[in-house]
Amino acid sequence: MDYVVTPPAVVAIPVVGQTARFPVHRIYCVGRNYAEHAKEMGFTGREPPFFFMKPADAVVAVEAGQTGSMAYPTLTGNLHHEIELVVAIGKGGKNIAAADAHQHIYGYAVGLDMTRRDLQNEMKKQGRPWCIGKGFEQSAPIGPITPAAQAVGVEQAEIALQVNGQDRQRSTVAQLIWSIAETIEHLSAAWELQPGDLIYSGTPEGVSAVVPGDTLEGSVAGLESLSIRIV
Ligand code: MN
């Protein structure tokens, strides 16, 4: 096949225990999925889950044991970290019942939903889309994917983020308002999930700003951790 411009490279993430990689199709993100984070963003009560997307090439895939780098983005003075458990979809489907959701999961990883908070807040105020606050280059750092069979208990695990060695976020995945299975049920009612999709499942409380030179260490107990430096 000939193309009129160079086709984009496949975005791919390392997988624990094998050389083959996980190719990324779409990146879905869940908004306000931990009660204490919803409160710090000014919301209370259980609302239906809602979603936004990032482009696949927003991924910064960091190898096990390495520290990746993310360029401080343009147009912002308030770049926030959001540590999240990421679900990697292995089998597609639509209208997936929560009871069947785990059959569609390939594995799990530690991810960061990096956010230009000042731009997101301005878009919220104006009732405009969040894309400029959420879907920019390098906004989705992620560590290696652990296959589901080796990630037992991950949906109750401790999740944490340290910046320069200091705790910023610490909670457990058990605190999710909408569980991973419920999230897949809602998401697959709106979009047909495909192998290669990633779901950033939401962040606990403690989001705050980072600046160039900061090193972020994200963890979910039982998964490979994620280390990235802002440059
Ligand atoms: Mn998020």
Side-chain angles (χ1 to χ4, degrees):
M1 177 76 76
D2 284 338
Y3 299 97
V4 296
V5 296
T6 306
V10 173
V11 175
I13 299 169
V15 175
V16 172
Q18 50 187 317
T19 53
R21 291 183 165 238
F22 182 89
V24 180
H25 176 243
R26 289 181 183 168
I27 305 175
Y28 296 101
C29 303
V30 188
R32 297 195 290 264
N33 204 14
Y34 286 82
E36 293 303 315
H37 172 62
K39 277 187 211 165
E40 75 183 353
M41 301 306 283
F43 295 85
T44 55
R46 199 186 203 209
E47 55 184 351
F50 68 93
F51 307 99
F52 58 91
M53 286 194 235
K54 293 175 186 264
D57 64 0
V59 159
V60 179
V62 181
E63 308 292 322
Q66 296 191 5
T67 297
S69 66
M70 174 191 176
Y72 195 91
T74 58
L75 300 181
T76 186
N78 197 17
L79 176 66
H80 272 204
H81 54 74
E82 296 191 358
I83 188 70
E84 308 204 359
L85 172 66
V86 181
V87 178
I89 296 295
K91 185 178 131 193
K94 55 184 175 182
N95 294 316
I96 299 165
D100 301 325
H102 284 92
Q103 300 167 28
H104 296 262
I105 297 175
Y106 175 79
Y108 302 87
V110 178
L112 281 163
D113 167 13
M114 299 303 290
T115 302
R116 294 194 280 209
R117 191 72 73 200
D118 41 3
L119 298 185
Q120 184 201 21
N121 287 342
E122 186 59 29
M123 292 298 113
K124 276 187 190 173
K125 203 167 22 173
Q126 297 185 30
R128 292 181 177 169
W130 291 8
C131 307
I132 198 169
K134 289 289 197 177
F136 53 93
E137 287 91 349
Q138 302 192 329
S139 61
I142 189 168
I145 292 171
T146 298
Q150 299 161 45
V152 179
V154 72
E155 293 182 27
Q156 282 74 42
E158 187 172 59
I159 180 169
L161 181 81
Q162 296 190 317
V163 177
N164 304 329
Q166 302 289 315
D167 258 23
R168 291 275 187 94
Q169 296 185 267
R170 188 170 292 277
S171 185
T172 68
V173 179
Q175 301 300 311
L176 278 173
I177 295 171
W178 297 95
S179 70
I180 297 303
E182 291 169 331
T183 295
I184 288 173
E185 179 172 301
H186 280 89
L187 189 59
S188 68
W191 291 275
E192 181 171 358
L193 296 183
Q194 302 289 342
D197 286 341
L198 297 176
I199 305 169
Y200 279 61
S201 60
T203 196
E205 68 276 17
V207 298
S208 62
V210 289
V211 295
D214 284 347
T215 300
L216 287 66
E217 297 278 349
S219 62
V220 173
L223 303 182
E224 284 286 342
S225 59
L226 167 63
S227 176
I228 196 154
R229 188 174 173 83
I230 310 297
V231 297

